[in-house]
Amino acid sequence: DDDPDMVRLLTRVIERSMGSKLRVEACTDPEQARQRIDDGGIDILLTDLEMPSIDGLTLLRYAKKRSAFTQVLFITGHSSHEALLEALEQGSTDYLLKPVDQQKLVDLIEQAFHRQQRWREALGATWQQRQQAHA
């Protein structure tokens, strides 16, 4: 999100609820977020759909190119029906409308976290089976 107050609030909510399970990094500049995606290691991306310079759909596409397993959650205050549909078609995990319901946010982050874990486990099991078949 490009609103520093919103970013602080969301960061506190997520850290309070899930701080022991994941590390939270916050950006208010979409270009900085894109650079962070470039650096790798983003499992869950929570972004506003509409921001100046780089919109959330661009960040979604960018994150998915880097890792198809990245879970992308959108928050939005006034996006169009078409933008939300495009987000889902591009691989968005889910979205929340502003004002953000904190419990729903935590629930969606937890779901994305567990989905990410299942993908990792499935990928690891598949890799092990392939290694055993070639041994």
Side-chain angles (χ1 to χ4, degrees), residues 21-61:
K21 295 180 182 178
L22 49 85
R23 188 180 74 195
V24 178
E25 295 181 42
C27 302
T28 55
D29 176 5
E31 188 60 42
Q32 181 185 14
R34 190 186 63 75
Q35 181 59 48
R36 180 58 191 92
I37 292 167
D38 265 348
D39 294 342
I42 300 291
D43 293 331
I44 302 170
L45 173 65
L46 175 64
T47 183
D48 196 341
L49 194 52
E50 296 180 16
M51 296 177 290
S53 73
I54 298 176
D55 65 11
L57 289 171
T58 301
L59 286 177
L60 164 72
R61 287 188 289 272

Side-chain angles (χ1 to χ4, degrees), residues 37-108:
I37 292 167
D38 265 348
D39 294 342
I42 300 291
D43 293 331
I44 302 170
L45 173 65
L46 175 64
T47 183
D48 196 341
L49 194 52
E50 296 180 16
M51 296 177 290
S53 73
I54 298 176
D55 65 11
L57 289 171
T58 301
L59 286 177
L60 164 72
R61 287 188 289 272
Y62 204 77
K64 289 292 189 173
K65 276 186 189 176
R66 182 80 166 109
S67 171
F69 300 115
T70 300
Q71 304 296 297
V72 181
L73 303 168
F74 283 106
I75 52 174
T76 184
H78 50 275
S79 294
S80 69
H81 180 74
E82 291 78 19
L84 289 173
L85 285 177
E86 185 176 353
L88 291 172
E89 290 170 359
Q90 297 279 330
S92 171
T93 304
D94 215 323
Y95 71 94
L96 284 170
L97 297 174
K98 291 180 183 178
V100 174
D101 177 306
Q102 293 181 13
Q103 187 56 53
K104 284 183 183 178
L105 171 65
V106 170
D107 291 346
L108 289 179

